Amino acid sequence: MNRSMTIKSLLIGASLTAAIVASSAQAQDRKFNVPAGNINMTLPMFARQSGIQIIAPADQLAGVRSPAIMGVFDTRAALRRLIADANLEIVADNGAAITLKPRARAGTTPVALRSLQSARAASSWTAPRAFQAADASTAQAEPGTGSEIIVTATKTATTLNRVPISMQAMPQEQLDRRSIRSVSDIIRTVPALSMQTSTTADRVPSISIRGVASSTGAQTTGVYLDDAPLQKRNAIGISGSGTPVPALFDLERVEVLRGPQGTLYGGSSLGGTIRFITPEPSLEKMSAYARAEVGFVQDGGVNHDLGIALGGPLVEDRLGIRVSMWQRRTAGYIDHVDRFTGDTLAKDTNSSDDWALRGALLFKPTENFSLTPSVYYALSEQHDADTAWKTVPETTLNGYTYPAAVYGDYQTGANCNVGDNYAASTPRCVARQPRTSRIFLPSLKAELDIGSTTLTSVSSYISDRTHGRSDYSYIEPGNFQCGFPFVADIESYRSTPIYENKRTGFTQEVRFANDGNSRFNWVVGAFFATYKNNSNYHIVANLDDLTQAVFGAPAQAIFGVPVEPGNITYHRDQDLKEKSLAVFGEANFAITDKLKLIGGARVSREKFSYHQVTAGTFAGFLTPTTANGGLTDGKVKETPVTPKFGLQYQLDSANMLYATAAKGFRVGGVNQPPPASRCGADLAALGITSTPGTYKADSLWSYEVGAKLRSSDRKLSLNSSAFYIDWSNIQASYGLPTCGFGYVVNGGKAVSKGFDLEASVEPINGFTLSGLVAYTDAQYTQAVVGPAPSSTLYIRDGDRLPVSKWAFNVAGEYRFDIGSYGAYLRADWQHASRYQNSFGPGTGSFTPDTYMSEASDYMTARIGLRRDGWELSIFADNLLNSKDVLGNEGGRTGCATGEGAACTTYENYTLPYQYVTFRPRTIGATLTLRK
């Protein structure tokens, strides 16, 4: 270095030294507020905020812009991010001073390749928005590569290896590479997550974590779009219930938080929380993300996917924008087949179309204050159910022999139920089960820096609507014929439940958090939410034709009341209103430089009210009254408290141990009284005159220990946790033995215990091998028995909760260069062991043929090329064309022996068996742009 350069370096070093406000020889987290800009300006600012002297060569700084560094981070890691584009590296670090010098350049490296390598280095920390968020933590984007993700799990910004929570974070690039396009793909790739898949088409499947699952009442898993809660209470019966899930396009990342999150996220985070984080508008630079994809489904149609997102400053450093548009056609593969001829009546009917639009503005009138209004809209149209049928064997009933109805893979017989005696003359029709869902969610986020404290306000409004049709054309004949679905002496039977579910709501959260630079760090806040939910459905069926063919009499002679005009056999209108008010806080105190004490609590006031009107032929009355159970009202008020305690020991900046104990809760609800005209005998047998009007919240305590470890060269990482969950007062469903209605009570206990282990290693440069294993032993530890004299066993001590005991996820990726292109090969394999999806032997609801779901395996592969922000890849989803069954119904039902005695006979043999499996093998290509 010549004398001029030496003098310049010394001058810069001196100016940075003069700006130092503190000095520390220990690696530590600090809060940074360094905007993007010329590194000549941002490096001194970084030095002042870090309290460390930084000496750098001036000739390397001219004309170089650095990214924003905002949030709480490890000082050295933040510095490496700041200097990524300046071609500098740390060569000396004594704790109080850091010396930078130019990286060595390989003389044979092509210019284009050096640019590509520089781009990779610059992208090693993703999500500039997360630096500005009020709540974050970090995980590895691609295990073993040393890249990092900013996440917002604890409502204070930090890196994942410093967050005392078992969690997984996946940025958009990882979602793309792993072919994750839907919530079912997330469930498949994240062990300890499970989804209760139903063969009916009206409900979105329920998501559970670590076996904390229930289909009754409020959800057990919280779902958030940024800071806006999306989870929705399950309504009773055919309803269109289910939590809406955002489109997996233009996301910063997806975070999965395992274990109860009641302190910061409240009710319905009983088992954990899933968060979908969107990119924030940039005030410094333009950015673009686009994706186009086409996929050919074996035995099905063609998928196509197209989306684009653009963002950047409208007024530099003051006003930024981010907009995105996305559309996807998911091809169908289910064929409707005529049971008499085997002819295909309709092909690939279960296709779906999805659209999503999002827009956000970031307005920063001063350095200390920002406003971020945003709006999200999504539309999803599912054109038919994903359900297939198994062959119905030859059966003799009432002196008539029905021939076998044969169905192959991905085939269904869900058509109009034509009788055998009319098969030659009656036209066929297809009974599709479509479902359409819409969600509209505007929100406003405001942040104000008040010295060492940040005030954050998040307001959101939600309006969502689901409507569609289901099909009972074979269920109702089965109810009259011990489960057999066909009727020879009827021209055609069609039963169609038509449903609609509407919700509107408003949420407001206000929280304060300190800057994270003191021994005592904290976040406190208040939350308010109010929701109105209306769910209604009615069944349209030619019931008189069915009862005449089966019983030789009209419906009025069987049920006591006639079918209403328009062939309406049952209708229900249900109004639910919820209000929640809570205060919460969480803090940590540094007992020593390495050991932190964690504590927090949330106190909520929950109110829930319910009004329902039911009537119809199946109800046994046409005029609803309180006495006959047609008019129902109820209210629930509760004040749950959910504390959290923990210890965190930071071995060094990259390695941490923790232990936590946390409580979760789920608010109670109101029962629908069963109609006395139909259920009086069942109630009398149980020794009661009516069902309980309400049921209370259930709760759990979770105890967890964990470790997050990483080698100094970032080529080896290990995240692990072990947990024990004690769940009590579980909201359990009781089914009345003969009348077909039921109710919910609080009863029973369960324990879920296990561990999860995530590891990644880069044994050679460019090759990463990663894996995640989850072991979950979740079962009831207390039987639930109905009242005497029947003493029906509803839940058996030892019955397992619906989660696989073992789940594995193994991935390998090899990254290499071909000339000036970056290339990669990747393969992922997931395995989940068999699990129990309903109550076991001896219980009143035991279904011996379908109560166990089988094990499943799934594999994907992708090969791609990248250059200058473009990426072209070829992929195969379900590479081995797995047809493992994910959910099924049918077979023997109706065991109500009482006292847990073994079943010897069953009231019904329900046919056909209906099941859901993976989508068939899909091969396609994806083109993405990231600029």
Side-chain angles (χ1 to χ4, degrees), residues 513-572:
N514 75 329
D515 60 11
N517 286 336
S518 63
R519 291 184 67 186
F520 181 68
N521 299 303
W522 49 267
V523 56
V524 296
F527 175 82
F528 171 76
T530 178
Y531 297 102
K532 294 181 179 180
N533 193 325
N534 174 262
S535 173
N536 66 81
Y537 81 95
H538 61 277
I539 302 175
V540 178
N542 52 320
L543 184 60
D544 281 325
D545 295 337
L546 178 61
T547 57
Q548 193 69 48
V550 175
F551 303 110
Q556 184 170 2
I558 307 301
F559 296 98
V561 293
V563 175
E564 294 185 85
N567 275 347
I568 296 176
T569 61
Y570 186 81
H571 57 89
R572 187 216 64 197

Side-chain angles (χ1 to χ4, degrees), residues 3 8 28 140 190 217 276-277 351 431 441 610 621 632 671 778:
R3 178 174 297 181
K8 290 182 180 179
Q28 60 180 328
Q140 286 191 328
V190 180
F276 299 85
I277 310 300
S351 61
L441 196 157
Y610 170 98
F621 52 84
T632 308
N671 279 309

Side-chain angles (χ1 to χ4, degrees), residues 334-500:
I334 296 293
D335 298 339
H336 288 252
V337 174
D338 182 15
R339 74 177 177 95
F340 299 106
T341 66
D343 293 341
T344 299
L345 303 179
K347 189 172 179 61
D348 304 334
T349 59
N350 64 321
S351 61
S352 63
D353 291 285
D354 296 273
W355 296 264
L357 300 170
R358 181 180 178 269
L361 289 173
L362 173 58
F363 176 50
K364 194 170 184 180
T366 70
E367 289 300 316
N368 299 326
F369 179 66
S370 66
L371 282 174
T372 309
S374 66
V375 61
Y376 176 82
Y377 174 82
L379 170 65
S380 177
E381 294 180 344
Q382 175 75 36
H383 302 303
D384 200 359
D386 294 333
T387 308
W389 284 18
K390 294 184 178 180
T391 293
V392 180
E394 181 182 288
T395 304
T396 299
L397 182 66
N398 299 327
Y400 179 80
T401 299
Y402 292 84
V406 180
Y407 302 98
D409 294 335
Y410 315 121
Q411 291 185 340
T412 179
N415 310 308
C416 297
N417 196 344
V418 175
D420 294 48
N421 297 338
Y422 296 87
S425 58
T426 302
R428 309 296 195 263
C429 65
V430 172
R432 288 182 172 88
Q433 301 180 69
R435 183 183 70 235
T436 300
S437 300
R438 295 181 177 87
I439 180 172
F440 173 66
L441 196 157
S443 66
L444 176 64
K445 181 177 182 179
E447 289 185 297
L448 176 64
D449 285 338
I450 312 170
S452 61
T453 302
T454 299
L455 167 64
T456 303
S457 169
V458 181
S459 310
S460 68
Y461 171 81
I462 188 170
S463 173
D464 62 75
R465 176 176 179 256
T466 301
H467 63 92
R469 301 193 307 269
S470 192
D471 182 57
Y472 278 10
S473 302
Y474 296 86
I475 293 175
E476 288 164 1
N479 290 340
F480 299 154
Q481 300 181 122
C482 298
F484 191 73
F486 307 138
V487 181
D489 197 25
I490 190 171
E491 182 175 0
S492 180
Y493 183 67
R494 182 77 183 271
S495 178
T496 306
I498 302 171
Y499 59 86
E500 181 181 50

Side-chain angles (χ1 to χ4, degrees), residues 673-736:
S677 60
R678 291 189 60 181
C679 299
D682 282 343
L683 296 172
L686 294 173
I688 57 178
T689 58
S690 183
T691 58
T694 62
Y695 54 93
K696 295 182 180 180
D698 51 0
S699 62
L700 59 76
W701 272 97
S702 174
Y703 309 92
E704 181 175 322
V705 294
K708 299 187 177 183
L709 310 172
R710 189 170 59 188
S711 64
S712 58
D713 61 2
R714 301 192 178 192
K715 291 183 179 293
L716 175 64
S717 67
L718 180 68
N719 297 332
S720 63
S721 66
F723 63 90
Y724 182 93
I725 295 173
D726 188 2
W727 190 8
S728 60
N729 219 28
I730 299 173
Q731 297 171 12
S733 298
Y734 281 40
L736 295 172

